[in-house]
């Protein structure tokens, strides 16, 4: 019996997305290795296999690097000091509220210091990630797939499933377990939060820094486009860490199950697909031996200004909504992690009361459009692509296009979910805030 509406085109869509998600990072890797980030076209199938073997074979050092990183983050999650936060009530588990130990910020700082020390002392040069990109990618993909299978089988065997469709492949893709947790070093760790907040973003940052360091090693400079990518990621990732206590209230945590889609993309897809621009800039700098050719200073200044503005709207709008919800629940958490944005909390905000009990904010950014953070996020992802404009390749724009499609699809799913949850109150809200992304336009 189907208990949940099928998304992504059901089983066929799930199979297609699983195959496509495996294809993309390997294709990008081959394009970097064999065509400086341009389109990769092998001369034959045998050539493709030979190229894959040469550039993406798993190695023991890649295995230890990747699993060592994951294990270290698990240890940090267990031992570092953090803030205890209660999550939203889980309707499928008698409204149980899980506790989250939010110490991602401490993990982020400790990781940065540790990596800097290892690199500067020469014990473990961070450039090893750029050197072994294909092998580490291969290990990450294998680990992502294995973890997905283990979690799926374990959840079914221990009867910790929820919202099942009983279409085996579709359930594997969407997940069956909402809140997978393990006891580690005496601490209960939420695996979905760990993977979503730390593993994906921290590894992504390290992959980008490794590309920047390689460029620095080769030329003694880090080019402005590389710096743009680095700054964009630094701001984004730091925001995820400093606002970790807000994440339990996001859709991924309270609604999405930890299935293949989230596991694979957190453990492999996000870090290795999202780091493409930095590695594209690196390989093209090395190819041309001119890391700063064709860079317009004016354009770079414009890009940096748009980046800072988009980041500001993204950070403060999400903060307004989440702090509002926390205020409504009587949760008062003052955290002063750097940087705190002006207008990130609205005092006495206007809101719509709803029959289901969750009020809807119609103040701050949220009175102008329903998805201010999505708009800002789209701007930032576009800039990541544009950071590669020095060279005429197409692949750097894959990420912004992919992100755009993903976020529009997410928007339609969220609208449908909210329509079911809020009923006529959602219709009233949409009349009150008629624009989705850009006030006055769409
Ligand atoms: P939103 O921040 O828009 O949150 C949507 C949820 O918030 C709704 O389901 C609803 O949940 C609640 N909500 C909606 N409108 C209001 C309102 N007016 N007042 C109060 N609550 C409201 O989206 P997401 O959680 O999807 O995304 C958060 C951020 O993460 C975005 O910036 C997005 O771009 C980013 N993101 C990035 C990804 C990446 O790969 N880089 C992937 C996915 C997201 P309810 O009412 O049930 O609480």
């Amino acid at each position: 019996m189907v208990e949940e509406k099928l998304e992504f085109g059901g089983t066929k869509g799930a199979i297609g997305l699983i195959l496509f998600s495996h294809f993309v990072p390997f294709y990008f890797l081959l394009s970097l290795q064999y065509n400086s980030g341009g389109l990769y076209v092998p001369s034959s199938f045998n050539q493709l296999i030979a190229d894959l073997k040469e550039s993406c074979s798993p190695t023991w050092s890649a295995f230890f690097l990747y699993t060592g990183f994951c294990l270290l983050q698990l240890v940090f999650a267990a031992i570092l000091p953090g803030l205890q936060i209660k999550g939203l009530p889980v309707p499928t588990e008698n409204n149980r509220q899980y506790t989250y130990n939010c110490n991602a910020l401490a993990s982020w700082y400790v990781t940065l210091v540790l990596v800097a020390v290892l690199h500067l002392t020469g014990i473990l040069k961070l450039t090893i990630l750029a050197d072994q990109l294909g092998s580490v990618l291969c290990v990450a993909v294998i680990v992502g797939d294995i973890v997905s299978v283990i979690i799926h089988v374990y959840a079914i065997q221990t009867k910790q499933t929820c919202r099942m469709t009983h279409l085996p492949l579709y359930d594997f893709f969407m997940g069956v377990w909402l809140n997978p947790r393990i006891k580690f070093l005496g601490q209960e760790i939420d695996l979905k939060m760990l993977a979503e907040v730390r593993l994906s973003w921290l590894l992504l940052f390290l992959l980008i820094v490794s590309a920047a360091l390689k460029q620095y090693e080769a030329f003694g400079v880090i080019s402005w486009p590389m710096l743009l990518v680095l700054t964009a990621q630094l701001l984004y990732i730091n925001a995820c860490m400093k606002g970790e206590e807000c994440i339990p209230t996001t859709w991924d945590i309270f609604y999405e199950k930890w299935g293949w889609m989230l596991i694979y993309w957190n453990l492999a897809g996000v870090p290795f697909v999202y780091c493409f621009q930095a590695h594209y800039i690196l390989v093209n700098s090395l190819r041309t031996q001119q890391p700063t050719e064709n860079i317009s200073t004016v354009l770079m200044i414009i890009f940096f200004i748009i980046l800072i503005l988009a980041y500001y709207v993204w950070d403060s709008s999400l903060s307004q909504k989440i702090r509002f919800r926390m205020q409504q629940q009587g949760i008062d958490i003052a955290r002063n992690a750097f940087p705190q944005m002006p207008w990130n909390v609205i005092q006495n905000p206007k809101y719509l009361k709803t029959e289901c009990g969750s009020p809807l904010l119609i103040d701050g950014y949220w009175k102008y459009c329903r998805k201010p953070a999505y708009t800002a996020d789209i701007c930032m992802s576009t800039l990541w692509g544009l950071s590669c404009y020095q060279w005429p390749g197409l692949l750097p724009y894959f990420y912004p296009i992919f992100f755009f499609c993903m976020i529009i699809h997410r928007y339609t799913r969220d609208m449908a979910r909210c329509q079911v949850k809020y009923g006529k109150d959602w219709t009233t809200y949409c009349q009150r805030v008629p624009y989705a992304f850009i006030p006055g336009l769409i």
Side-chain angles (χ1 to χ4, degrees), residues 127-149:
T127 44
I128 192 172
L129 285 176
D131 294 333
Q132 301 214 13
L133 194 62
S135 301
V136 185
L137 161 66
C138 190
V139 171
V141 166
I142 294 170
V143 171
D145 286 338
I146 292 177
V147 170
S148 308
V149 173

Side-chain angles (χ1 to χ4, degrees), residues 175-316:
V176 296
W177 195 357
L178 185 60
N179 293 296
R181 296 192 147 216
I182 55 165
K183 264 247 182 263
F184 186 71
L185 299 179
Q187 182 75 244
E188 196 174 69
I189 312 272
D190 189 284
L191 293 175
K192 188 165 58 168
M193 275 281 279
L194 179 85
E196 171 117 355
V197 182
R198 301 157 200 227
L199 300 185
S200 58
W201 296 115
L202 286 181
L203 180 57
L204 169 63
F205 189 68
L206 298 184
L207 289 170
I208 289 173
V209 176
S210 77
L213 287 171
K214 272 284 292 176
Q215 193 189 44
Y216 186 77
E217 270 184 6
F219 303 104
V221 292
I222 295 179
S223 65
W224 282 106
M226 184 72 95
L227 216 52
L228 182 72
V229 177
L230 209 55
T231 310
Q233 294 292 355
L234 185 69
L235 288 171
Y236 204 97
I237 295 165
N238 184 64
C240 295
M241 306 299 153
K242 82 180 164 98
E244 190 193 12
E245 74 278 10
C246 302
I247 293 179
T249 63
T250 66
W251 197 32
D252 279 2
I253 301 301
F254 76 76
Y255 182 75
E256 296 275 35
K257 291 167 284 182
W258 208 47
W260 182 89
M261 180 174 74
L262 281 191
I263 297 174
Y264 177 87
W265 276 94
N266 283 162
L267 266 55
V270 166
F272 289 92
V273 174
Y274 291 17
C275 75
F276 180 76
Q277 281 79 11
H279 287 269
Y280 179 91
I281 295 170
L282 170 66
V283 295
N284 280 289
S285 304
L286 293 172
R287 177 180 60 83
T288 58
Q289 287 296 305
Q290 287 186 334
T292 51
E293 72 170 354
N294 300 332
I295 297 175
S296 150
T297 310
V298 175
L299 212 53
M300 287 318 295
I301 292 172
I302 293 173
F303 286 172
F304 268 95
I305 291 173
I306 298 175
L307 173 69
I308 303 296
L309 287 177
Y311 171 77
Y312 171 67
V313 173
W314 178 75
D315 184 322
S316 50

Side-chain angles (χ1 to χ4, degrees), residues 88 196 201 236 249-252 254 270 274 314 317-318 321-322 324-325 356 358-362 366 369-375 377-378 384 399 402-403 406-407 410 414-415 417-418 421-422 426 429 433:
L88 296 174
E196 171 117 355
W201 296 115
Y236 204 97
T249 63
T250 66
W251 197 32
D252 279 2
F254 76 76
V270 166
Y274 291 17
W314 178 75
S317 65
L318 282 175
K321 183 192 68 164
I322 293 166
F324 158 71
R325 277 284 169 86
C356 75
S358 308
L360 290 166
L361 182 63
I362 45 167
W366 300 83
C369 64
R370 297 191 299 272
K371 290 289 177 194
Y374 280 15
T375 309
D377 227 338
I378 290 169
W384 296 7
Y399 170 69
F402 164 82
F403 184 81
M406 186 271 288
I407 218 76
R410 194 176 166 94
D414 192 42
M415 283 292 282
R417 198 186 65 80
C418 288
K421 177 175 173 182
Y422 292 101
W426 190 252
Y429 169 66
V433 186

